[in-house]
Amino acid sequence: MLSIIIPTLDAADTLDATLDALAEGREAQLRHEIVVSDGGSADATLQIARRAAARVVTGAKGRGAQLRAGASAAIGDWLLFLHADTQLAAGWVEALERFRASSGAEGRAGYFRFKLDADSRGARRIETLVRLRCAVLALPYGDQGLLIARAAYDAIGGYRPLPLMEDVDLVRRLGPARLISLDHDAVTSAARYRRDGWWLRPLRNLACLSLYFLGVPPNRLVRLYR
């Protein structure tokens, strides 16, 4: 049984497409559930989730807290964490099953290949930088999804209720040897890059990561990240 956990906050603009991409699971007769963990949306997010037959849990705002709450509510023995503005490319079920059937998968975590839904040189540059970050630093972010067995997730303590860097915190506890690329695309909305700039947004993200490694608490970094 697979539980797909999606944290949301006013995600109506992107959630429909994210859930539509997951319909492949039904078509492939994959045993799964979708858990939407909401932090207080004021738009149509919850209506969209329920229309797609997702189970909705509500709680405190903050992605780390929402991911943790979603995992606590999930019933699957495998967990797939996915952002509300990220669509898994067609063929994701096969990539998922290939990983789950691989030797030692129960003690590892898989992540997807980062891709932006924009046709620009800036988008391709950012995708290249993400590939380098994953290869050199073993730091996939949450917008690449994370597939992990429940037992392995529980063994490392799960997501901590951090407002930012919850994904970095978790994969660092997993360690590079247990992180595996699924070699399949997860396509994320480029809206923030279009809004903030193809250079400025990556630089801001890098600044947040650097300050986090220097010990600045995530609750202070949130102001810079937005």
Side-chain angles (χ1 to χ4, degrees), residues 1-24:
M1 178 73 173
L2 172 73
S3 295
I4 303 171
I5 298 158
I6 305 174
T8 56
L9 181 65
D10 295 330
D13 289 345
T14 59
L15 183 60
D16 246 335
T18 296
L19 294 172
D20 283 348
L22 296 178
E24 181 181 313

Side-chain angles (χ1 to χ4, degrees), residues 35-109:
V35 179
V36 168
S37 182
D38 192 71
S41 292
D43 63 2
T45 294
L46 299 187
Q47 295 95 305
I48 292 169
R50 291 183 176 119
R51 191 166 65 233
R55 190 148 57 92
V56 174
V57 296
T58 58
K61 179 176 71 173
R63 203 150 56 201
Q66 290 173 233
L67 289 165
R68 189 175 183 88
S72 295
I75 63 173
D77 48 4
W78 281 87
L79 307 174
L80 173 57
F81 298 96
L82 190 67
H83 284 187
D85 62 350
T86 298
Q87 301 172 42
L88 299 183
W92 65 268
V93 173
E94 182 182 350
L96 179 149
E97 295 291 33
R98 191 165 54 242
F99 172 77
R100 292 204 294 185
S102 64
S103 177
E106 294 83 359
R108 297 177 176 176

Side-chain angles (χ1 to χ4, degrees), residues 113-187:
R113 187 169 51 224
F114 178 78
K115 190 173 178 61
L116 288 168
D117 66 348
D119 186 15
S120 73
R121 291 169 60 186
R124 303 294 84 77
R125 180 178 62 247
I126 292 167
E127 291 163 5
T128 299
L129 291 172
V130 170
R131 283 196 296 273
L132 287 171
R133 187 190 69 219
C134 292
V136 176
L137 299 178
L139 282 180
Y141 283 178
D143 50 16
Q144 293 173 260
L146 190 77
L147 174 64
I148 186 170
R150 160 79 72 176
Y153 173 84
D154 289 343
I156 62 169
Y159 279 102
R160 291 171 175 156
L162 303 175
L164 193 68
M165 296 295 164
E166 78 292 333
D167 44 6
V168 174
D169 172 73
L170 183 75
V171 299
R172 289 181 79 194
R173 280 182 280 132
L174 273 167
R178 291 200 280 173
L179 289 166
I180 306 295
S181 171
L182 300 181
D183 197 26
H184 193 81
D185 289 341
V187 184

